[in-house]
Amino acid sequence: MGTVTKALQLLTFFSRAQPLIGLSDMARLSGMNKATVHRMLGELQAAGFVEQVGTGRHYRLGPVYMRLAALREHAVPLRDVVGAVLQSLCDETQETAHFSLLQGTQLVATAHAYSPHHGTRVTMEDAQILTLHGTSSGLAVLAYARADFVHAVLEAPLPARTQHTITNPKELRAKLAQVHQNGIAESISGFEEDVHSHAAPIFDAHGQPFGAIAVAAPVARMDQRLRQNVRRATLAAGMHLTRLLGGFPPDTYPTPLNPTEIHG
Amino acid sequence: MGTVTKALQLLTFFSRAQPLIGLSDMARLSGMNKATVHRMLGELQAAGFVEQVGTGRHYRLGPVYMRLAALREHAVPLRDVVGAVLQSLCDETQETAHFSLLQGTQLVATAHAYSPHHGTRVTMEDAQILTLHGTSSGLAVLAYARADFVHAVLEAPLPARTQHTITNPKELRAKLAQVHQNGIAESISGFEEDVHSHAAPIFDAHGQPFGAIAVAAPVARMDQRLRQNVRRATLAAGMHLTRLLGGFPPDTYPTPLNPTEIHG
DNA sequence: TTGAGTTGGTTCATTATTTGAACCGATGGT
DNA sequence: ACCATCGGTTCAAATAATGAACCAACTCAA
């Protein structure tokens, strides 16, 4: 492993739970010698990637990221990042993948990717508005949204798009609890007939959900094998996208490391 | 110079104007051997700090910055604090307010607020780099910076962005003395034509300036009444922000309690 | 078509940097 | 007063960085 890689690795140990790290801790975390870590932190500090707080004692992430993040966003806008993730999720599941963004109290599907693998596929309208209670994407967002937001949504009239749409607030709250536990939402024909979809929430820098990434397949094609694959891939894609966009899942969010533990 | 520093230096060559850089270009820009640059870019890429677009050909900034910027923000919530102060300064003066941060020897405009009150207004680019000698923000920082820092800046080439830019070191030192006495810097068309700006320095816990808060208005709109209001408000906002961020002005800094005593 | 001048990328002997055990003085808790 | 740990430093030994020369692929002009 090169020196640069080792130095950059140090930056990965900072987290929301551990924003300040001391020299010795950093040496332990990285498994490197204290003198080595000291020199590396010195170089990172000189470049502004890390800074010391107070009189030595602790290091934290430096001020350069504002600028670099702004430049990155300018070079690669959000839609490009989302598009790439959608494409790979689509390739992986060979079903329609789409991304939706919460705008006020409306969930808007802003991007999608189709798989050429099957003759039949779920199709999306551009800028289609998804109901929060009737789609997997909506349920994924609701399951992690603030209580007052959920309350407002469930108190409002809940239109049934199909005869399978759940419109009973009590029933919906039970479902949201289940989604919250699994980290992924599932909806069978709740929005369009014969569409079976899964969705994972996307979180912002404050751990609040602001959108969802989803995979939608025809009900007829959804067997146990495909379902497992879709759930695993969607959960992973959601986590990945959250991280790419600089967001953080809340502490309660289930890790996708053990997808077999997820119950349906 | 350490290897890590050299590698990180590569990142500074990316800019809004040049978001994509090839291997050979990067070698030229950095003055390092092509093989060295190649290996460094490889390591930066593996860590996500840089990524290749298409089939080789070009490199651009990688996806890690969104996440790191969010973590930085979480650890040091500058943005929120600065944003609020900018907004109220903007409301008070009804002109564009902006905040810049000293990163090494570069002053970077990291946040701004626009007033909807006038049809014409001064606009800002994200992550715009401000010259230290040609902007009010830069002069505000320089006026309180360490002597060796000022020396280094004034010895380096001083580009003239406009025909009004002061580039004579002697003249600049005289101006800095005046800024130091008033606690506020003023620049008329020194960076952009027809922009009249005022700036106050922001100090850290050691009494060192690390940024500035400024108000920029079209030259045509700057009359005596607006100027007085801007000076008073900018000075107050600077003091306020310094305090909010846990900093202290040096003992020589003029108190804003008697704004009528300030000479221009 | 050819050839000169690019490009990104690779090789490997030479060189210079990185490494880490041992060592500071300072700090903090018992 | 003690002991553990802190951040930071030293220097011989070990290791990784370096760069001139070299590809193959591509672009452009003659």
Side-chain angles (χ1 to χ4, degrees), chain A residues 3 6 33 35-36 39-40 43:
Chain A
T3 313
K6 289 183 211 163
N33 186 280
T36 303
R39 191 175 39 77
M40 285 176 172
E43 291 200 58

Side-chain angles (χ1 to χ4, degrees), chain A residues 102-232:
Chain A
L102 195 59
Q103 299 182 358
T105 60
Q106 281 190 330
L107 191 64
V108 183
T110 55
H112 55 256
Y114 294 137
S115 168
H117 195 261
H118 297 106
T120 63
R121 64 172 77 134
V122 178
T123 58
M124 305 285 303
E125 290 174 28
D126 279 338
Q128 186 167 21
I129 294 177
L130 308 178
T131 57
L132 283 167
H133 66 286
T135 66
S136 61
S137 296
L139 294 172
V141 169
L142 277 185
Y144 292 90
R146 293 184 202 278
D148 57 348
F149 183 83
V150 176
H151 183 79
V153 170
L154 295 188
E155 287 304 303
L158 299 170
R161 289 260 312 189
T162 76
Q163 57 182 355
H164 301 96
T165 308
I166 305 174
T167 58
N168 179 342
K170 216 166 189 173
E171 209 174 327
L172 280 168
R173 283 195 184 273
K175 187 152 181 71
L176 290 183
Q178 184 190 329
V179 171
H180 192 102
Q181 191 182 352
N182 288 342
I184 190 167
E186 186 172 13
S187 170
I188 306 174
S189 300
F191 189 69
E192 301 279 2
E193 287 288 355
D194 301 321
V195 171
H196 189 145
S197 68
H198 288 86
I202 310 296
F203 299 99
D204 67 15
H206 305 294
Q208 289 297 311
F210 69 95
I213 189 167
V215 171
V219 164
R221 196 145 66 220
M222 184 60 68
D223 58 10
Q224 194 57 31
R225 185 194 187 87
L226 175 59
R227 184 167 175 274
Q228 279 303 323
N229 188 34
V230 165
R231 291 175 78 84
R232 180 196 51 73

